[in-house]
Amino acid sequence: MAEDIERWLMFTHWGSYLKGDYIEVGLDVTEILIKHLEACQLDGWKDTARENIDSFESIRKEVLSDRDSYSLYKVTFRNPSVTEEVYVNRLFVTDAYLFLEEYHGLKVFQTEDKEINAQRTQTLLDVFTNVAGHPALEELWMIDDRRAFMGKPAYLYRPEPLYERVEGGLYTLDAKEEVIRLVEEFESHVPREWVIDYLQDRLGADSVQEMEDGKIRVLFYDRELTKNKVGNTRKFLRTFERHVDEYLLQKGIRLYKG
């Protein structure tokens, strides 16, 4: 509908990060989402649409039966936690990115009842955490202006020239090796404890949690999804990048040469 506003509820530019076959991982993410949402339609890029999906296995069988038609695909879900209206999310899967989209401009998270807003935020965080726990995903962001992050700490270090290429879509896959090298360098020279202490000092201890597989979860919002405690996450990450560079320069190390 024309008045609806598209937002990404969670996303990864996984052409540069994904470990594994993106179609298979996309199916794994679909299976995770079905635990929270009701799948109702599957679409491939060749105008193939399947409605009245009755199980995850039917989605998996369809996608794997024609990987060419489903080299780009989307799964439409209804969200049963929103009862006052039909609330739809769509998962898009391509070789360059994965994202879960909604079309209501986050209005279901901005009711007059703060408790409802907080409950729905927590529900989304639970989904986000389940998806981000997949071993093939090394970074996942919650909503497109980055209200939360889960992944390897190195992916918080985002030199703008490199990530303009990653996020632009056209050059996402071309940047893969450069991103991998940068991640390896970061992990070699920046202690995990230093990153966690830095984030906890600025966001609060409750906003940073250690997860399995060397991942961390960082919340940039304050209880309600639309209440961003840092104002602008991109600006916060640029400041983080500068402080990482200053920390490493004391050791004579220049991490990103551009």
Side-chain angles (χ1 to χ4, degrees), residues 195-206:
V195 176
I196 292 173
D197 288 345
Y198 178 96
L199 296 171
Q200 288 184 336
D201 285 347
R202 288 155 181 81
L203 300 172
D206 293 342

Side-chain angles (χ1 to χ4, degrees), residues 171-256:
Y171 301 105
T172 301
L173 295 172
D174 293 340
K176 180 173 183 175
E177 294 304 319
E178 193 172 351
V179 171
I180 290 173
R181 183 205 64 78
L182 185 63
V183 168
E184 290 174 347
E185 289 288 312
F186 185 99
E187 293 178 342
S188 295
H189 299 297
V190 183
R192 174 187 178 82
E193 295 75 17
W194 185 93
V195 176
I196 292 173
D197 288 345
Y198 178 96
L199 296 171
Q200 288 184 336
D201 285 347
R202 288 155 181 81
L203 300 172
D206 293 342
S207 293
V208 185
Q209 292 183 324
E210 295 193 62
M211 312 298 286
E212 295 181 354
D213 299 324
K215 298 175 183 178
I216 61 174
R217 188 176 73 189
V218 186
L219 307 183
F220 297 103
Y221 65 84
D222 187 9
R223 198 161 184 265
E224 296 180 56
L225 186 64
T226 58
K227 307 296 184 184
N228 197 349
K229 65 168 57 179
V230 300
N232 184 307
T233 306
R234 283 182 178 272
K235 186 176 180 180
F236 179 91
L237 293 174
R238 285 197 296 272
T239 302
F240 172 72
E241 177 191 344
R242 177 168 56 83
H243 286 154
V244 169
D245 289 342
E246 291 172 354
Y247 168 79
L248 291 176
L249 281 175
Q250 296 174 9
K251 300 181 176 184
I253 298 169
R254 185 180 178 189
L255 196 60
Y256 179 71

Side-chain angles (χ1 to χ4, degrees), residues 54-72:
D54 57 0
S55 69
F56 167 70
E57 285 306 318
S58 65
I59 297 175
R60 180 177 180 83
K61 183 177 180 180
E62 176 67 23
V63 169
L64 296 183
S65 69
D66 190 350
R67 292 176 66 99
D68 182 41
S69 294
Y70 292 101
S71 57
L72 181 158

Side-chain angles (χ1 to χ4, degrees), residues 14 21-24 26 42-46 48 62-74 92-97:
W14 67 3
D21 177 357
Y22 80 93
I23 290 179
E24 293 276 5
L42 169 68
D43 294 271
W45 72 275
K46 289 186 176 180
T48 51
E62 176 67 23
V63 169
L64 296 183
S65 69
D66 190 350
R67 292 176 66 99
D68 182 41
S69 294
Y70 292 101
S71 57
L72 181 158
Y73 64 92
K74 66 180 179 181
F92 289 77
V93 179
T94 82
D95 63 348
Y97 55 78

